Amino acid sequence: MPWQDTGVKKYMSKFSEAFKNKAFVGFLTAGDPDIETSGEYILEMVRSGADIIEIGIPFSDPIAEGEVIQASTQRALKNGVNLDKVFSLVSQIRKETQVPVVFLTYLNPIFNYGYELFFAMCQKIGVQGVIIPDLPYEEKEEVQISADKYEIDLIPIIAPTSAKRIQKIACCANGFIYVISPGDSWSTNSANMAQLKDIVKEIKKVSDAPVVIGFGEPEEAEIKEAAKFCDGISAGSGIVRIIAQYGKNAAEKVRDYVKSVKKALK
Amino acid sequence: MIGTKFGIYGGQYIPEILMSEIINLENSYNKFRNDEKFCSELDFLLKNYAGRPSLLYFAKNMTKDLGGAKVYLKREDLNHTGSHKINNVLGQVLLAKYMGKKRVIAETGAGQHGVATATAAALLGLECEIYMGKEDTERQALNVYRMELLGAKVHPVMSGTMTLKDAVNEAMREWARRCEDTFYVLGSVMGPHPYPTIVRDFQSIISKEAREQILQAEGRLPNTVMACVGGGSNAIGIFYNFIDDPDVGLIGCEAAGKGLNCGLHAASVTKGRLGIFHGMKSIFCQDNDGQISPVYSISAGLDYPGVGPEHAYLHSIGRAQYVPVTDDEAVDAFEYLSRIEGIIPAIESAHAIAHAIKIVPKMKKDDIVLICLSGRGDKDAYAMARYRGKKIHE
C-alpha cells in the first residue's frame, strides 16, 4: 500500500489552529488536471497561506455543484481517479504538510467503498473531516457511526433555506460548519450578505464551532465583508476555474489567487 | 412503509438546500390528499380532461395467436397526451397550484412526462420549464415541439451523458436555485421521499380501475400483471392494488438494450446493485467505484440507471420479479401488437408486450395476463423506421 500511518493522534485539536485567524479553505478536485498535479497545487495553496485544504473526490453526478466544478469532475473521472488514488494523494502530501484536509464527495462512492473502510482510511492517512452534500441531517445516522468511530468530523452544511433547521443542525456539529451562500448572483445583492450574517448569528447561539462561508468566486469587498462575521471562507470554483484554464501550468496563478484571498481576509 | 423508507430503500438523500422545501411538500401533500375540494377537483380532471377510466381491453387476436393465457391490456395509451404520465402530472400540478406555486419544472426522458407536465401547466395556468437531455431532444424532436406548442420552455441538458439522469440532475439544481415559487413535478416513483409515495398514489388509479374491470370481465383476479420499468411509475401503478393478493404474480420488464453483457443496457435490477443516488437508496447501474453508469436503451423512457425504491423493496422480498427485455425483442413486439391488434404501443410498453409473447404461450388457457399498455407509439414511429433501415420523408 502506498500510504503510511502518519500518526493522526496529533491532530486531536483538528481545526483550532486553522481558525486562529480568519481561515481560507482552498478547494480543488482531485485528478484535475491529473492526480500528481493536484498534489503539487495543494502544496502550492498551503505555501501561499491556505489554512484548510478541501479535496473534491469526483462523482459522476454532482447535483449540488455548478458548471465549473461539474466540468472539473468530468475531467478528473476521465483521468481514472477513484478513492484509492485520492487516499494515495493525501498520503503523499502528508509527507510535506500537516495542514488540515477535508474531503468533499457525494455519498454513493463512500457507500460503495464501505463507510467503515472509508473512515478508517481517512484516519489512517490523516484526513480530518468529510463534507457530503447529499447527506442531510435526517440521513446522517448511518454515516455518523463510522465517522465517530474513527474520529472524523462530518462537516454539516447549512443553506439559505435552512431556516428552522439551523439550530438543529448546528448544535451537534463537529469540526466546523459550512454555510453556502445564496444564489449565483448573490454578490450583487446586499440583502444576501445580511441573510448570511443572520444565519451565522443563529448558529452561534447554539454552537461554538467555526463557521465557514462557501462562496463560488468572491470579490475582495465581499471577502472583507464576510470576514467581519464568519470564521473563514472558501472559494469553491475560484481555483478550479484557474486550473481549468491553465491546466498543468496553473501553479503561479493558484499562488496569486490564494494570496489575494488571504490578504482580503486580514 | 416506515418513516421515509420502504424497508431499507428510499429516504431523503438530498442537499440541505432542498430539505425545507421537501418537508413543506410532504406536509402540503398530507394536507391536500385528504382535502375534499382537492380530491374532487382532481377526480373531475381525471374523468373529464384525461379521459379516465381507461379501457381494459381483451386482446382477442393476441390471445388466439399466442395460444396460452388470456391477454388483457390496460389502455393507458388512450389517456389525453398518450400515456399514463398524465395521472401523476394532474395530481402534482394541481398540488403545486394549491401550494401557491407559480411555476413548475420537470425532467423528461422520452418527452411523455414533459408533454404531460406542459399540458397540465397550460390547463392550470402555471409557467412551465422542462429539462431534457440533449440526446433525447434529438431522439424525440416531435415531443420537444409539442412541449413548446403547449407554452413550455425546453432546456436541452448538455451535462454528463445528456440523457434522463442528467435531466434529473439539472431539474434538481434548478429547484435548489428557485424553490420558493417553483414546484418540481417528478415523473417517476423515484427521488427523495415523499416523491415515490406521491407518484405511486397518483398512478395507483391504474390498478384501482383494472382490478374492478377484470373482476367485472372475468369474475376473478389475473394470474400475472406486467409492465415495463424504467423508474417504474406505470409498473407501480398497475401493481399497487394487487400487492396484497399473493396469488397475483407481478413482473416488471427492464430495458436490456443491446444485451446484458455488452454494457449497453438499462437493466438496473438485473445488473445493478445497492447505492444512493437522486435522493434515494435503491438499486443502480454503477461501476466498481460507485460512479453511476451511462445506460442505454432504444426507449428513452426506460433509459435510466436506477429503479424506484418501492420496486427495489418488492424485489428484495420476492413479491415482484424483474426481467430483462432487449431492444430487438421490444421492436419485434412493437410491430407485433401494431399488426395483430391494430394498436401501436410506445416502445417502452412494447418491452412488456415482448415478455408476454415469451410467457403467455406457456400458460394455461384459462389463465389471465394483465399488461399495462403505458403509452401509444406514434412518438416512436421515426425511430422504429430508422431501426429497420427505412427512410421516412417528412
Side-chain angles (χ1 to χ4, degrees):
Chain A
M1 298 298 237
W3 44 76
Q4 49 191 243
D5 192 349
T6 50
V8 79
K9 289 284 184 294
K10 66 184 156 199
Y11 304 119
M12 282 307 279
S13 61
K14 289 186 180 171
F15 300 102
S16 59
E17 186 71 15
F19 287 104
K20 239 171 31 186
N21 299 305
K22 302 290 176 185
F24 172 60
V25 181
F27 175 85
L28 54 67
T29 305
D32 175 29
D34 58 52
I35 201 91
E36 292 78 21
T37 312
S38 293
E40 193 188 307
Y41 291 167
I42 289 168
L43 295 175
E44 194 64 57
M45 286 197 278
V46 175
R47 284 193 291 267
S48 313
D51 303 285
I52 295 172
I53 298 297
E54 182 185 358
I55 300 176
I57 300 172
F59 177 54
S60 52
D61 297 84
I63 59 163
E65 314 305 333
E67 286 173 16
V68 174
I69 294 177
Q70 282 179 50
S72 164
T73 294
Q74 291 297 326
R75 288 191 295 273
L77 286 174
K78 269 193 195 143
N79 292 334
V81 170
N82 61 17
L83 276 175
D84 283 333
K85 287 182 182 164
V86 179
F87 289 142
S88 175
L89 165 72
V90 176
S91 294
Q92 286 301 316
I93 63 160
R94 274 284 169 256
K95 292 175 186 167
E96 314 268 339
T97 175
Q98 303 301 318
V99 72
V101 169
V102 298
F103 283 148
L104 177 133
T105 189
Y106 287 75
L107 194 49
N108 202 49
I110 305 178
F111 177 76
N112 176 75
Y113 199 83
Y115 296 145
E116 178 81 13
L117 185 57
F118 174 81
F119 287 104
M121 284 304 298
C122 286
Q123 188 187 56
K124 188 174 176 186
I125 61 172
V127 168
Q128 283 69 42
V130 179
I131 305 169
I132 307 171
D134 57 348
L135 185 72
Y137 179 87
E138 280 73 3
E139 303 290 353
K140 77 185 173 88
E141 190 65 31
E142 66 184 73
V143 183
Q144 188 85 57
I145 296 165
S146 305
D148 287 349
K149 183 172 168 188
Y150 295 99
E151 298 174 331
I152 307 299
D153 291 332
L154 271 187
I155 312 293
I157 295 171
I158 288 175
T161 51
S162 293
K164 289 179 204 150
R165 301 167 52 79
I166 293 175
Q167 295 201 348
K168 176 167 80 174
I169 297 167
C171 70
C172 60
N174 293 318
F176 60 89
I177 293 168
Y178 200 100
V179 175
I180 53 175
S181 63
D184 290 341
S185 56
W186 78 277
S187 58
T188 57
N189 187 347
S190 63
N192 286 337
M193 195 58 96
Q195 191 189 357
L196 281 172
K197 203 170 171 177
D198 288 344
I199 292 171
V200 175
K201 215 160 116 189
E202 279 301 297
I203 293 170
K204 295 292 183 187
K205 284 181 192 166
V206 294
S207 171
D208 57 3
V211 175
V212 169
I213 297 183
F215 292 111
E217 297 167 63
E219 283 165 22
E220 191 185 341
E222 292 137 12
I223 298 169
K224 283 182 186 298
E225 185 61 32
K228 290 177 190 164
F229 59 86
C230 70
D231 304 294
I233 69 137
S234 82
S237 39
I239 290 163
V240 173
R241 189 188 290 279
I242 291 169
I243 294 172
Q245 191 178 347
Y246 296 96
K248 291 186 190 182
N249 303 310
E252 198 180 322
K253 300 279 178 191
V254 169
R255 185 190 318 144
D256 292 348
Y257 187 88
V258 176
K259 282 186 172 166
S260 71
V261 174
K262 281 294 286 184
K263 195 172 155 218
L265 277 172
K266 267 179 189 154
Chain B
M1 176 168 223
I2 300 163
T4 64
K5 290 187 172 139
F6 305 91
I8 62 164
Y9 306 97
Q12 297 180 307
Y13 300 88
I14 51 165
E16 170 59 24
I17 196 166
L18 288 170
M19 278 307 299
S20 289
E21 185 57 26
I22 207 109
I23 291 165
N24 179 34
L25 170 65
E26 182 172 13
N27 293 338
S28 304
Y29 177 62
N30 287 335
K31 178 177 157 196
F32 291 119
R33 67 189 295 193
N34 298 314
D35 179 84
E36 211 172 299
K37 187 162 170 279
F38 178 85
C39 292
S40 69
E41 196 170 342
L42 179 58
D43 193 52
F44 179 88
L45 290 175
L46 289 170
K47 283 190 179 116
N48 297 285
Y49 188 71
R52 301 209 71 87
S54 69
L55 296 176
L56 182 72
Y57 169 74
F58 174 54
K60 197 172 152 192
N61 298 342
M62 189 173 164
T63 299
K64 193 177 165 201
D65 181 63
L66 295 178
K70 289 185 188 172
V71 177
Y72 280 86
L73 303 176
K74 180 62 173 164
R75 298 290 307 276
E76 294 298 305
D77 61 317
L78 296 177
N79 296 338
H80 181 42
T81 73
S83 82
H84 72 293
K85 293 291 186 189
I86 195 79
N87 306 332
N88 166 48
V89 156
L90 284 174
Q92 283 198 45
V93 177
L94 193 63
L95 180 60
K97 202 167 176 182
Y98 273 68
M99 286 172 70
K101 303 288 183 184
K102 303 275 176 276
R103 174 175 177 257
V104 294
I105 55 171
E107 83 294 341
T108 196
Q112 295 302 89
H113 175 59
V115 168
T117 305
T119 299
L123 176 71
L124 297 171
L126 298 177
E127 282 174 53
C128 179
E129 295 186 31
I130 304 294
Y131 293 82
M132 186 172 188
K134 186 169 177 292
E135 190 173 312
D136 292 334
T137 61
E138 286 159 12
R139 284 197 281 193
Q140 301 286 349
L142 183 62
N143 271 342
V144 174
Y145 183 70
R146 290 168 79 197
M147 288 183 266
E148 288 169 350
L149 199 59
L150 291 159
K153 184 165 188 231
V154 180
H155 299 274
V157 174
M158 313 282 276
S159 60
T161 55
M162 302 188 208
T163 60
L164 181 55
K165 86 174 166 74
D166 309 286
V168 174
N169 293 346
E170 217 46 55
M172 281 191 174
R173 287 187 187 112
E174 175 61 17
W175 196 32
R177 277 191 287 268
R178 233 184 111 172
C179 60
E180 322 84 62
D181 71 340
T182 299
F183 187 103
Y184 179 18
V185 182
L186 232 161
S188 194
V189 283
M190 48 153 291
H193 173 78
Y195 279 110
T197 300
I198 292 179
V199 178
R200 180 255 277 152
D201 288 351
F202 289 140
Q203 290 296 0
S204 66
I205 193 165
I206 301 173
S207 53
K208 185 169 176 264
E209 290 172 4
R211 202 170 190 284
E212 286 168 15
Q213 289 166 323
I214 199 83
L215 284 173
Q216 180 119 40
E218 291 283 345
R220 66 184 191 87
L221 296 176
N223 300 74
T224 301
V225 174
M226 301 169 55
C228 62
V229 175
S233 71
N234 92 89
I236 214 79
I238 196 135
F239 289 176
Y240 189 66
N241 288 286
F242 295 106
I243 290 174
D244 292 334
D245 300 307
D247 296 335
V248 178
L250 307 174
I251 303 177
C253 305
E254 299 194 295
K258 296 189 190 226
L260 292 176
N261 296 320
C262 70
L264 294 171
H265 63 79
S268 321
V269 179
T270 312
K271 297 292 277 188
R273 64 177 197 281
L274 191 62
I276 297 163
F277 182 51
H278 280 163
M280 55 181 166
K281 188 177 278 180
S282 191
I283 305 173
F284 299 97
C285 295
Q286 52 188 310
D287 71 11
N288 291 335
D289 295 323
Q291 307 292 348
I292 303 304
S293 301
V295 288
Y296 162 83
S297 166
I298 190 168
S299 145
L302 304 183
D303 202 351
Y304 182 72
V307 70
E310 196 165 6
H311 284 294
Y313 176 67
L314 292 174
H315 175 254
S316 74
I317 60 168
R319 180 63 191 94
Q321 184 195 350
Y322 296 83
V323 298
V325 173
T326 64
D327 282 1
D328 278 344
E329 293 166 333
V331 173
D332 286 348
F334 176 87
E335 293 169 344
Y336 175 84
L337 195 70
S338 302
R339 284 183 197 154
I340 202 155
E341 292 289 352
I343 297 171
I344 302 173
I347 188 64
E348 289 78 16
S349 322
H351 284 68
I353 302 293
H355 190 65
I357 293 170
K358 287 186 219 169
I359 66 165
V360 166
K362 297 176 201 158
M363 296 174 77
K364 289 189 226 125
K365 292 231 188 249
D366 55 355
D367 283 350
I368 300 166
V369 167
L370 168 63
I371 305 169
C372 188
L373 196 69
S374 56
R376 67 175 181 229
D378 310 45
K379 69 181 176 61
D380 300 306
Y382 282 112
M384 294 306 107
R386 263 201 310 275
Y387 192 84
R388 292 300 190 208
K390 284 180 196 160
K391 276 187 187 160
I392 299 177
H393 297 285
E394 286 179 52

